[in-house]
């Protein structure tokens, strides 16, 4: 059975002086999801945006807003991001001391909760939380910046995660973030991911629509290789 492949442009690589237009442009170009990278200069070595910008994004698109919190103490901020209009809120297992509480709070707020793992973080950290989340996002670069190269060991990790989810008969999406491009997306889909964050690959291209269509096609072709 073929699964839908979702393309999520990351606005981190957009032109911030024209952010509204840039969000509308990928929306019109067929993006399924808008990925928003929130960085605090503490958990990751970069500072980006807060709830006000999420609120501004909410005003220009009806697409799913996928808010990726790369911040320590996510607990303190999930309410604010939910109120700003986030649809999905993902938090790092490395940054949450009370992960189960944070995940439950996101769900209580009526949002889709997801957890994120850095490249060197083991899947074992998911053991007691997997059944409570709607999605797991695997970082395929060390978070902080757009435009980095895909870390190949992520492919094995995606496969292992897909097997675990199937073995436990769960419905959990696998999202992959970092270095997703026309060169890497088919293999990422073949490994078992179904949501693809693409920052520089989309915003660094001339024709957003053409790029999104190509990425989705390559993901669909790749996913055929992913037979359980
Ligand atoms: C990295 C961010 C990513 C980033 C991906 O810390 O979480 O979402 O925007 O950028 P690309 O697609 O250029 O690797
Ligand atoms: Zn991200």
């Amino acid at each position: 059975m073929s699964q839908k492949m979702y393309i999520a442009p990351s606005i981190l690589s957009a032109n911030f002086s024209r952010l509204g237009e840039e969000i509308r442009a990928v929306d019109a170009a067929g993006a399924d999801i808008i990925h928003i990278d929130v960085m605090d200069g503490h958990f990751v070595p970069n500072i980006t945006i807060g709830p006000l910008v999420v609120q501004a994004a909410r005003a220009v698109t009806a697409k799913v807003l996928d808010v990726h919190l790369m911040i320590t103490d996510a607990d303190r901020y999930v309410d604010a991001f939910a109120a700003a209009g986030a649809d999905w809120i993902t938090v790092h297992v490395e940054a949450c001391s009370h992960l189960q509480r944070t995940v439950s709070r996101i769900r209580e707020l009526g949002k889709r909760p997801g957890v994120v793992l850095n490249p060197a973080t083991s899947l074992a950290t998911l053991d007691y939380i997997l059944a409570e989340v709607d999605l797991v996002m695997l970082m395929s670069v060390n978070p902080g910046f757009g435009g980095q190269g895909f870390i190949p060991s992520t492919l094995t990790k995606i496969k292992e995660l897909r097997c675990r989810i199937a073995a436990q008969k769960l419905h959990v999406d696998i999202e992959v973030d970092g270095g997703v491009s026309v060169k890497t997306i088919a293999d990422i889909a073949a490994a078992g991911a179904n949501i693809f964050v693409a920052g520089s690959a989309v915003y660094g291209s001339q024709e957003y629509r053409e790029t999104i269509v190509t990425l989705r096609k390559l993901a669909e072709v790749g996913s055929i290789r992913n037979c359980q």
Side-chain angles (χ1 to χ4, degrees):
M1 197 180 69
S2 77
Q3 208 186 359
K4 182 166 162 53
M5 301 287 117
Y6 295 91
I7 307 297
S10 161
I11 62 166
L12 188 62
S13 294
N15 180 337
F16 272 55
S17 66
R18 302 189 286 106
L19 191 55
E21 279 168 55
E22 288 275 73
I23 293 171
R24 283 199 185 96
V26 291
D27 179 333
D32 301 293
I33 293 157
I34 309 295
H35 184 85
I36 304 184
D37 288 306
V38 176
M39 306 185 187
D40 66 354
H42 183 71
F43 176 62
V44 289
N46 197 2
I47 301 177
T48 54
I49 61 180
L52 277 176
V53 177
V54 172
Q55 199 180 343
R58 181 73 293 161
V60 297
T61 182
K63 295 273 163 86
V64 165
L65 295 184
D66 169 27
V67 176
H68 175 192
L69 298 183
M70 285 161 275
I71 61 176
T72 49
D73 257 341
D75 246 353
R76 287 175 57 197
Y77 299 98
V78 290
D79 286 54
F81 282 102
D87 296 299
W88 301 358
I89 300 179
T90 60
V91 296
H92 275 257
V93 300
E94 305 87 356
C96 292
S97 4
H98 306 285
L99 186 61
Q100 197 279 338
R101 180 162 67 201
T102 310
V103 164
S104 316
R105 179 66 187 151
I106 296 169
R107 199 178 287 290
E108 218 172 78
L109 290 163
K111 310 299 178 183
R112 281 190 99 211
V115 290
V116 193
L117 271 58
N118 278 339
T121 300
S122 167
L123 291 179
T125 56
L126 295 173
D127 281 355
Y128 300 99
I129 199 71
L130 189 59
E132 297 191 40
V133 297
D134 287 359
L135 71 105
V136 173
M137 186 159 80
L138 297 180
M139 293 307 302
S140 36
V141 298
N142 289 291
F145 305 94
Q148 303 181 76
F150 181 83
I151 298 173
S153 61
T154 314
L155 293 176
T156 313
K157 203 171 174 186
I158 300 167
K159 282 181 203 153
E160 283 177 22
L161 177 57
R162 187 44 82 200
C163 287
R164 262 177 209 229
I165 291 169
Q168 294 181 44
K169 299 190 169 42
L170 298 170
H171 296 282
V172 176
D173 289 313
I174 301 181
E175 183 168 10
V176 171
D177 186 4
V180 173
S181 70
V182 290
K183 292 205 178 87
T184 55
I185 196 166
D187 288 341
I188 300 170
N194 65 308
I195 305 172
F196 308 85
V197 177
S200 49
V202 172
Y203 279 109
S205 71
Q206 290 301 314
E207 284 292 332
Y208 298 167
R209 173 176 296 276
E210 201 180 296
T211 307
I212 291 170
V213 167
T214 306
L215 286 170
R216 189 180 285 106
K217 265 193 201 137
L218 290 166
E220 281 164 2
V221 169
S223 75
I224 294 166
R225 285 193 266 137
N226 167 41
C227 39
Q228 300 291 330

